[in-house]
Amino acid sequence: MHTVAVLSLKGGVGKTTVALGIASAAMRRGIRALVADLDPQGNATASLDPPFTDATLADVLETPDRDVLARAIAPSVWSEDVEVLVGAEELEALNEPGPDEHRLMSLSRALDELQDAPPHGKPYDLVILDCPPSLGRLTKSALVAADSALLVTEPTMYAVAGAQRALEAIEQIRDEHNQDLRAAGVLVNRLRPRSHEHQFRIAELRESFGALVMPTAIPDRLAIQQAQGACSPIHEWHSPGAQEIALTFNMVLAKILRSNRAGRHRIDRDETAAETTGPIEPIRTDARR
Ligand SMILES: Nc1ncnc2c1ncn2[C@@H]1O[C@H](COP(=O)(O)OP(=O)(O)O)[C@@H](O)[C@H]1O
Ligand SMILES: [Mg+2]
């Protein structure tokens, strides 16, 4: 079981979109996945539309045992092999900073339970943690529980500074709580390929973070919103724009699973540059809406 945390410093940059895109790619590859919705807004839960559960992730974090987990997990409308650990507004109260260290470990403990004895029988290959939009306690507990962390950013003016801060947070959690944590990469979302400003920001990100920046960005496409609105995995949304994005998520999933094996995408920049798997491909500029 590999656990990836999808995070960013800000809201609205596409964490949930990316978490769902990875789940969709996993489904297409026959990889059994669980999406844990750590955001009190519950957008991932809304898009995956599981049947009502009488417990949520908030209960799991209070009591990380198998019974509560089993009550808080349900299959998505997508497939029986994509399940949801459902989010809830009550998570907001658990996001505040506090001295209570053991709270940081409760998600990690819950995931250990999942690995040892998956509540609905079949084990998960992949757990995707959809984080809330801050580096608060919930995101930290995701980093404590994760094997890898995927940073999502838009190609805007503050992207480098934001990614830097998030990578520092990853490094801190790695030093203090989770020495196996890897940065799977920085994924740029909502790229407008014809925008010079966006191309400039991507170049800036590459200059700062080298091979950590994913070779392909997710373009800004209406198909993403349409598929989410229809509670459909992007891989099953039949428009040329959706298919192109689906292929990008296949690549993102492959990279996440690779970071598990080799552990070579470390967050130390020099090391990353030295350990890159190949040349960084230019962003495609021929994409059409
Ligand atoms: N690449 C994209 N193209 C078009 N719309 C997008 C894209 N990425 C995200 N969106 C839309 O932007 C909004 C915010 O995205 P979301 O994934 O919910 O962000 P976050 O989880 O970081 O808050 C959603 O309505 C989503 O459908
Ligand atoms: Mg979200």
Side-chain angles (χ1 to χ4, degrees):
M1 183 171 100
H2 181 87
T3 301
V4 58
V6 181
L7 74 152
S8 72
L9 295 183
K10 287 205 307 169
V13 301
K15 288 176 294 299
T16 300
T17 298
V18 168
L20 294 175
I22 295 167
S24 177
M27 186 174 101
R28 180 53 60 92
R29 269 183 66 178
I31 290 174
R32 192 167 147 75
L34 175 73
V35 178
D37 188 354
L38 275 85
D39 189 343
Q41 288 187 51
N43 295 339
T45 305
S47 276
L48 292 167
D49 199 21
F52 176 79
T53 56
D54 64 6
T56 71
L57 180 57
D59 301 300
V60 169
L61 294 180
E62 293 287 355
T63 317
D65 70 21
R66 204 182 318 163
D67 275 3
V68 183
L69 269 167
R71 289 193 291 118
I73 292 177
S76 68
V77 282
W78 292 7
S79 152
E80 283 192 347
D81 282 326
V82 177
E83 297 201 324
V84 194
L85 177 43
V86 306
E89 269 176 44
E90 290 74 34
L91 285 165
E92 192 69 64
L94 304 176
N95 202 25
E96 276 136 33
D100 201 357
E101 274 277 307
H102 87 270
R103 277 278 184 79
L104 268 189
M105 307 300 297
S106 52
L107 181 62
S108 177
R109 228 169 277 137
L111 297 187
D112 288 345
E113 287 281 336
L114 275 188
Q115 184 151 22
D116 294 346
H120 300 154
K122 285 198 254 168
Y124 302 105
D125 304 307
L126 180 67
V127 177
I128 303 159
L129 307 175
D130 183 22
C131 293
S134 70
L135 285 178
R137 184 135 54 139
L138 289 170
T139 298
K140 284 190 179 147
S141 68
L143 292 175
V144 171
D147 300 302
S148 66
L150 178 64
L151 275 178
V152 182
T153 183
E154 289 183 341
T156 57
M157 193 169 151
Y158 301 112
V160 169
Q164 183 69 48
R165 273 184 57 207
L167 288 171
E168 280 163 17
I170 292 171
E171 208 158 353
Q172 190 191 345
I173 296 286
R174 196 176 61 168
D175 289 348
E176 292 174 11
H177 301 280
N178 181 5
Q179 59 178 14
D180 298 327
L181 181 62
R182 297 270 176 270
V186 177
L187 179 59
V188 176
N189 184 34
R190 302 203 84 149
L191 174 73
R192 274 179 265 118
R194 291 176 211 281
S195 158
H196 290 296
E197 166 70 12
H198 281 192
Q199 294 293 353
F200 177 77
R201 296 301 167 195
I202 294 222
E204 209 174 45
L205 280 164
R206 292 230 161 95
E207 202 172 296
S208 297
F209 304 111
L212 214 46
V213 181
M214 294 261 173
T216 314
I218 312 285
D220 196 316
R221 290 278 190 284
L222 207 56
I224 287 197
Q225 292 167 31
Q226 291 167 334
Q228 276 169 12
C231 297
S232 165
I234 194 76
H235 286 69
E236 287 178 6
W237 196 255
H238 297 292
S239 74
Q243 291 314 301
E244 181 200 343
I245 291 164
L247 290 177
T248 304
F249 281 121
N250 293 347
M251 182 278 293
V252 173
L253 173 65
K255 187 146 190 196
I256 289 167
L257 296 177
R258 266 206 310 274
S259 78
N260 190 28
R261 259 190 271 135
R264 55 188 162 194
H265 300 286
R266 291 172 204 278
I267 55 187
D268 180 303
R269 248 171 282 152
D270 295 338
E271 241 177 298
T272 307
E275 290 174 2
T276 176
T277 50
I280 300 171
E281 285 162 32
I283 298 293
R284 297 181 47 182
T285 52
D286 60 341
R288 258 173 286 138
R289 258 167 208 281

